[in-house]
Amino acid sequence: MRSEDIAKLAGVSRSTVSRVINNYPNVPEETRVKVLKVIEEHHYEPNSFARALAGKRTDTIGLFAISLSGKNIGNRIYQNNYFAPFVEAVVDTANAKGFYVLIHTVYSREDFQKIKQAFMQKRIDGGILVGIQEDIEIVRELSDLNAPLVIIDYDITEILAERLDKGHLAVINSKDYDGTVAAIEHLIALGHQEIGIVCGEQNTYSGKERYTAYLDTMRKHELTVKDSFVLNGHFSKQRAATEMRKLLASKELPTAIFASNDDMALSIIEVLHEHGIRVPEQIAVIGFDDIDLASRTVPKLSSVKLPLYEMSKAAVQKIIDMVGTSEPSFSTLSLPTELVLRESSGSKR
Amino acid sequence: MRSEDIAKLAGVSRSTVSRVINNYPNVPEETRVKVLKVIEEHHYEPNSFARALAGKRTDTIGLFAISLSGKNIGNRIYQNNYFAPFVEAVVDTANAKGFYVLIHTVYSREDFQKIKQAFMQKRIDGGILVGIQEDIEIVRELSDLNAPLVIIDYDITEILAERLDKGHLAVINSKDYDGTVAAIEHLIALGHQEIGIVCGEQNTYSGKERYTAYLDTMRKHELTVKDSFVLNGHFSKQRAATEMRKLLASKELPTAIFASNDDMALSIIEVLHEHGIRVPEQIAVIGFDDIDLASRTVPKLSSVKLPLYEMSKAAVQKIIDMVGTSEPSFSTLSLPTELVLRESSGSKR
DNA sequence: CTGAAAGCGCTTACAG
DNA sequence: CTGAAAGCGCTTACAG
């Protein structure tokens, strides 16, 4: 069934059918009703490719989940407690607004070609990038495509420095700095002085921010940061566990540890338990992200809540806004985090 | 950049460019190389919509995650430990084979229109349905579209009875019956006689199979099934917890419980612990699905492993096979499960 | 208000 | 082996 068939049945031309479908104002109510009736009766759906080819939107948003460090086989992306809720929220929001979501995973630098392809083949109206590491080359390439692009978790200063702010670009972050400060200051308020950190990927905006905030806060309160208390966990459970075991082998231990994500926090708590060290009595722990699991572990994990849902929602909205206008624009949004206290951080000592 | 531009630069016609792109045999090596060179140089990507419109495939697979019972707001689908790995595996497999994945979530019966639309608008070459409840009407509607369709977890006898087996349809299941039998018989071998079950959604193939297998196995071993030991958990943590609390309020308790999924198993273990009942010493528990979390809880959960990855892989492969041929076909695949013993099931009593 | 026609960027019989 | 042309199913200036 094509628009031509509908036209014949309704006794009008294809032009008019098209006008009705696209809600053109200059169609008399009577004609509109007549045409709509035929469309309904025959369950007609305009061919999306023909529409797109004729210049209409595709009503599809690309969602690109990037996981360059995850080389392991099998459940790679979604085993990560960060991506899954993201994907869900984006799909939900986009669906609710009448958009489809085209998903593609990026495991290697070559895979970025797939993103470019999706744009160049005009498959999508715009794209959302999540999980990207600092790599201004790629951002430049993608933004040069001049299609609506939203990047989650990226350093804006870098984009400004490179003058990439004149395409259809938006960056959406969370206030990880503030969240980390809140976590560290809470530990300090509880009386902790020897506070360690398990860092995330340092070529990641959130990884850097969380580390910097830790450093700044310690300095502000005139607490010394022991080198041995700074563990490189790379946002990975395994690496965090390994580092923690190394630390345990040495003499000195901190009295509190801030982990740059919950996966690592949970992982080091496990290691601590293996060694008979009680959390929070002997070592207090605070994580970051506030994943689902955080409230169901023993002890329940204190964590800084990432506004994942709000971020995804904002990302979709941004794409849609940008699709709607041809004006180039660069915008930025930074959503607040929140310290959620449970058991692992303990109380006043 | 269009094929016409490439043609000019290469000194050939659009026809030839197209032949090169589509790997037609009747192009001399020399011409092929010449054209490919120009394509490379200019990073030319054929417009996917024009190709599709001219009759080519879209190279896109639809993935529809159905969650009719999940009325709760927020993280609905991916909070469920069943969908997330599925989505990942499908995206991974499809991507690896050069296909994009178009995702859409279905929360209501009306949302099924979106699936039909995706097909009718020719957005996808074929679709995969996961999470569907028994609803032959919808299966009929979808299979009437006559596009490649793979359904995960569905009762084949129903499809055969309705003669829906002549379209481009495939059903992929796991051997839940066998898996459940193995779990129950293991408990029996450990000496349990009073075995309860927490059922899943009964309008779901896997929900029914797991329940039936439990019943059959108990009967086979001449063990009585107490009505009060059959809890309706509907695959939901909350409902399972509520039912478990009710059971605890009564006098009699089983010595072992089989839960139709891990979420419910974990949930009832929590409730048991709240009431000071030790698992597995006082009540042994076995779950189903073998989710990621199963190996990280206290006690570690024994569970029947669902071959999620293999199932998704098979689903994608089926779609691709069906896209490749115009012959109608109906096929079925049932992949084996595996009983994974950890701590919660206990040992010989 | 509305239709005929051109155009979107491909593919593929058809003819040579 | 290869090009000119028709066709895929829409949209949208253009003309009336």
Coordinates of all heavy atoms in Angstrom, one line a residue, chain A residues 3 14 18 22 24 44, chain D residues 9-14:
Chain A
S3 N 1.3 5.6 -1.0 CA 0.5 6.9 -0.9 C -0.4 7.0 -2.1 O -1.5 7.6 -2.0 CB 1.4 8.1 -0.7 OG 2.1 8.4 -1.9
R14 N -1.5 12.4 -4.7 CA -0.5 12.0 -3.7 C -0.1 13.2 -2.9 O 0.2 13.1 -1.7 CB 0.7 11.4 -4.4 CG 0.6 10.0 -4.8 CD 1.4 9.8 -6.1 NE 2.8 9.8 -5.9 CZ 3.7 10.2 -6.8 NH1 3.3 10.7 -8.0 NH2 5.0 10.2 -6.5
S18 N 0.1 13.4 1.1 CA 1.3 13.8 1.8 C 1.1 15.0 2.7 O 1.5 15.1 3.9 CB 2.4 14.2 0.8 OG 3.6 14.5 1.5
N22 N 1.6 15.0 6.8 CA 2.6 15.9 7.4 C 1.9 17.1 8.0 O 2.6 18.1 8.3 CB 3.6 16.3 6.4 CG 4.5 15.2 6.0 OD1 5.2 14.6 6.8 ND2 4.4 14.8 4.7
Y24 N 0.0 19.6 7.1 CA 0.1 20.9 6.4 C -1.1 21.7 6.8 O -2.2 21.1 6.8 CB 0.3 20.8 4.9 CG 1.7 20.6 4.5 CD1 2.5 19.7 5.1 CD2 2.2 21.3 3.4 CE1 3.8 19.5 4.7 CE2 3.5 21.1 3.0 CZ 4.3 20.2 3.7 OH 5.6 20.0 3.3
Y44 N -2.4 2.1 6.6 CA -1.3 2.6 5.8 C -0.2 3.2 6.7 O -0.5 4.0 7.6 CB -1.8 3.6 4.8 CG -0.7 4.4 4.1 CD1 0.2 3.8 3.2 CD2 -0.6 5.8 4.4 CE1 1.2 4.5 2.7 CE2 0.5 6.5 3.8 CZ 1.3 5.8 2.9 OH 2.3 6.5 2.3
Chain D
dG9 P 7.0 0.9 -4.0 OP1 6.5 -0.2 -3.1 OP2 6.4 1.2 -5.3 O5' 6.9 2.3 -3.1 C5' 7.6 2.3 -1.8 C4' 7.5 3.7 -1.3 O4' 8.4 4.5 -2.2 C3' 6.2 4.4 -1.3 O3' 6.0 5.1 -0.1 C2' 6.3 5.4 -2.5 C1' 7.7 5.7 -2.4 N9 8.3 6.3 -3.7 C8 7.9 6.0 -5.0 N7 8.5 6.7 -5.9 C5 9.4 7.4 -5.1 C6 10.4 8.4 -5.6 O6 10.7 8.7 -6.7 N1 11.1 8.9 -4.5 C2 10.9 8.6 -3.2 N2 11.6 9.3 -2.3 N3 9.9 7.8 -2.8 C4 9.3 7.2 -3.8
dC10 P 4.7 5.6 0.4 OP1 4.1 4.6 1.3 OP2 3.9 6.1 -0.7 O5' 5.2 6.8 1.3 C5' 5.0 8.1 0.8 C4' 6.4 8.8 0.9 O4' 7.1 8.6 -0.2 C3' 6.2 10.4 1.0 O3' 6.3 10.8 2.3 C2' 7.4 10.9 0.2 C1' 7.8 9.7 -0.7 N1 7.6 9.9 -2.1 C2 8.4 10.7 -2.8 O2 9.3 11.3 -2.2 N3 8.2 10.9 -4.2 C4 7.2 10.2 -4.8 N4 7.1 10.4 -6.1 C5 6.4 9.3 -4.0 C6 6.6 9.2 -2.7
dT11 P 5.7 12.2 2.7 OP1 5.8 12.3 4.2 OP2 4.3 12.3 2.1 O5' 6.6 13.2 2.0 C5' 7.9 13.4 2.5 C4' 8.6 14.6 1.8 O4' 8.5 14.3 0.4 C3' 7.8 15.9 2.0 O3' 8.9 16.9 2.1 C2' 7.0 16.1 0.7 C1' 8.0 15.4 -0.3 N1 7.3 14.9 -1.5 C2 7.8 15.2 -2.7 O2 8.7 16.0 -2.9 N3 7.2 14.7 -3.8 C4 6.1 13.8 -3.8 O4 5.6 13.3 -4.8 C5 5.6 13.4 -2.4 C7 4.5 12.5 -2.3 C6 6.2 14.0 -1.4
dT12 P 8.6 18.3 2.9 OP1 9.7 18.5 3.8 OP2 7.2 18.3 3.3 O5' 8.7 19.3 1.6 C5' 9.8 19.1 0.7 C4' 9.5 20.0 -0.5 O4' 8.8 19.2 -1.5 C3' 8.6 21.2 -0.2 O3' 9.1 22.3 -1.1 C2' 7.3 20.8 -0.7 C1' 7.6 20.0 -1.9 N1 6.6 19.0 -2.4 C2 6.7 18.7 -3.7 O2 7.5 19.1 -4.5 N3 5.7 17.8 -4.1 C4 4.7 17.2 -3.3 O4 3.9 16.4 -3.8 C5 4.8 17.6 -1.9 C7 3.7 17.0 -1.0 C6 5.7 18.5 -1.5
dA13 P 9.6 23.6 -0.4 OP1 11.0 23.7 -0.6 OP2 9.0 23.7 1.0 O5' 8.9 24.7 -1.3 C5' 9.7 25.6 -1.9 C4' 10.0 25.2 -3.3 O4' 9.3 23.9 -3.6 C3' 9.4 26.1 -4.4 O3' 10.3 26.2 -5.5 C2' 8.1 25.5 -4.8 C1' 8.4 24.0 -4.6 N9 7.2 23.3 -4.3 C8 6.6 23.3 -3.0 N7 5.5 22.5 -3.0 C5 5.4 22.0 -4.3 C6 4.5 21.1 -4.9 N6 3.5 20.6 -4.2 N1 4.7 20.8 -6.2 C2 5.7 21.4 -6.8 N3 6.6 22.2 -6.4 C4 6.4 22.5 -5.1
dC14 P 10.2 27.5 -6.4 OP1 11.4 27.6 -7.2 OP2 9.7 28.7 -5.6 O5' 9.0 27.1 -7.4 C5' 9.1 25.9 -8.3 C4' 7.9 25.8 -9.1 O4' 6.9 25.0 -8.5 C3' 7.2 27.2 -9.4 O3' 7.1 27.3 -10.8 C2' 5.9 27.1 -8.7 C1' 5.7 25.6 -8.7 N1 4.8 25.1 -7.6 C2 3.8 24.1 -7.8 O2 3.7 23.7 -8.9 N3 3.0 23.7 -6.8 C4 3.2 24.2 -5.6 N4 2.4 23.8 -4.6 C5 4.2 25.2 -5.3 C6 5.0 25.6 -6.3

